[in-house]
Amino acid sequence: MAINKNHISKKYNAKKFIAYFQNYTNTYFNINKFKKMINQAIDEDIVAIYISTRPDCIDDEQLEYLKKVKEKYKIDIVIELGLQTANYKVLYNINRGHGLAEFIDAVIRCNNNKIDICTHIIIGLPDDKDIDIIETAKIISALKIQQVKIHALYILKNSVFGKMYESGKLETIGKDEFIDRVILFLRYLDPSIVIQRLIGRSSEEDSLFSNWSTSWWKIQDEILNKMTKNGYRQGDLFNYLIPKRSK
């Protein structure tokens, strides 16, 4: 971690840092190893810890420990949970390994321990429709999730999807359709939710298909320009939850 901080501080003149446990499932340990991992990340210039994991791989003992760390060191702690889609049938078909219920349960337990959540979704999954995009936005909003990262579907070499793609059994949506679905998702999403990413990316050497061979920032600009042109904004269709009644 010291090497990374040194590199980033020189390149960006950074003074404060986020410790990001990104790759793989970072709660798939016993509690002692998990505590050691978190403790090694705590430093005076660390202002937040982000932990990427699966909804079905985080337990209450880990969350209770993270709550204590957050309170003791006054740092932000965020759990990154991959939902991908609220369509439980699609989750089953892509062999995600968990359903919608497991995601909801994980969110409730994080909320009970005052741990913020960043949810990842994928737009362009096989058999996902516009109604699934809308329902995903609604569920994320109803659960009071704090942050979201959006990804386009990319297809890796030597994967199940890769073999389907090469054989013509899997078709991807077009770039314009992706942009329209991102905008649809944003319009139904609670405007207080932070959007950390509008589109991800993968390395060209590992991918059969990624972002229509277009730079991620160009697609991001297209999304923002289309929203501006049409007068759309995040949450302008966020009118489906019962408002709090004044006493």
Side-chain angles (χ1 to χ4, degrees):
M1 188 169 68
I3 295 174
N4 288 335
K5 286 198 295 184
N6 185 55
H7 172 74
I8 293 171
S9 62
K10 288 181 178 179
K11 186 175 183 178
Y12 300 105
N13 194 31
K15 306 298 182 185
K16 300 294 182 180
F17 304 89
I18 295 173
Y20 189 10
F21 296 96
Q22 180 181 19
N23 294 336
Y24 308 112
T25 305
N26 290 285
T27 57
Y28 199 63
F29 312 113
N30 63 49
I31 188 62
N32 291 328
K33 186 174 182 179
F34 180 77
K35 288 180 178 179
K36 181 179 180 181
M37 178 184 80
I38 299 302
N39 290 338
Q40 288 175 336
I42 297 170
D43 205 347
E44 59 183 11
D45 54 5
I46 296 294
V47 296
I49 298 175
Y50 275 65
I51 305 162
S52 179
T53 190
R54 291 170 53 91
D56 54 344
C57 290
I58 186 164
D59 62 42
D60 288 338
E61 192 174 10
Q62 292 168 331
L63 290 172
E64 289 166 4
Y65 182 72
L66 291 175
K67 181 181 179 182
K68 291 178 182 178
V69 169
K70 178 181 178 180
E71 293 172 348
K72 180 177 180 180
Y73 295 98
K74 309 300 180 186
I75 60 176
D76 292 332
I77 294 182
V78 181
I79 297 292
E80 295 206 355
L81 293 177
L83 170 61
Q84 318 314 346
T85 176
N87 186 328
Y88 65 91
K89 292 181 180 178
V90 171
L91 292 176
Y92 177 81
N93 289 339
I94 66 174
N95 196 27
R96 176 66 186 167
H98 69 77
L100 180 59
E102 288 85 351
F103 174 79
I104 293 173
D105 176 66
V107 171
I108 291 171
R109 290 189 288 112
C110 286
N111 286 341
N112 288 342
N113 285 280
K114 300 185 179 352
I115 303 297
D116 286 355
I117 300 161
C118 178
T119 296
H120 291 238
I121 69 162
I122 297 174
I123 291 181
L125 286 167
D127 298 322
D128 242 7
K129 309 299 182 185
D130 284 359
I131 192 171
D132 301 307
I133 301 300
I134 293 171
E135 190 66 15
T136 300
K138 287 183 174 183
I139 287 174
I140 288 172
S141 300
L143 289 172
K144 303 188 184 305
I145 287 167
Q146 293 81 14
Q147 304 169 20
V148 170
K149 287 183 178 179
I150 303 171
H151 303 260
L153 177 66
Y154 60 83
I155 300 173
L156 297 177
K157 297 176 181 178
N158 302 316
S159 66
V160 174
F161 271 12
K163 294 175 182 177
M164 293 173 63
Y165 180 75
E166 289 178 309
S167 66
K169 296 179 180 179
L170 173 64
E171 294 184 1
T172 60
I173 64 173
K175 178 166 67 70
D176 290 342
E177 186 175 358
F178 170 78
I179 289 170
D180 288 341
R181 286 188 174 187
V182 170
I183 292 172
L184 184 66
F185 173 82
L186 292 174
R187 296 185 70 195
Y188 276 91
L189 192 70
D190 184 336
S192 69
I193 295 175
V194 175
I195 305 299
Q196 287 218 15
R197 176 183 296 154
L198 287 174
I199 186 169
R201 55 183 171 176
S202 66
S203 61
E204 292 185 7
E205 59 269 23
D206 295 329
S207 303
L208 294 171
F209 172 85
S210 177
N211 295 351
W212 305 272
S213 300
T214 304
S215 299
W216 66 269
W217 56 269
K218 289 183 179 180
I219 297 175
Q220 177 176 282
D221 285 348
E222 287 189 55
I223 294 169
L224 298 176
N225 290 338
K226 189 165 188 176
M227 290 187 73
T228 301
K229 179 181 178 180
N230 290 281
Y232 300 147
R233 66 184 188 279
Q234 180 182 339
D236 61 9
L237 297 177
F238 177 62
N239 56 6
Y240 45 84
L241 298 181
I242 299 174
K244 291 182 179 179
R245 296 179 174 86
S246 57
K247 295 181 179 179

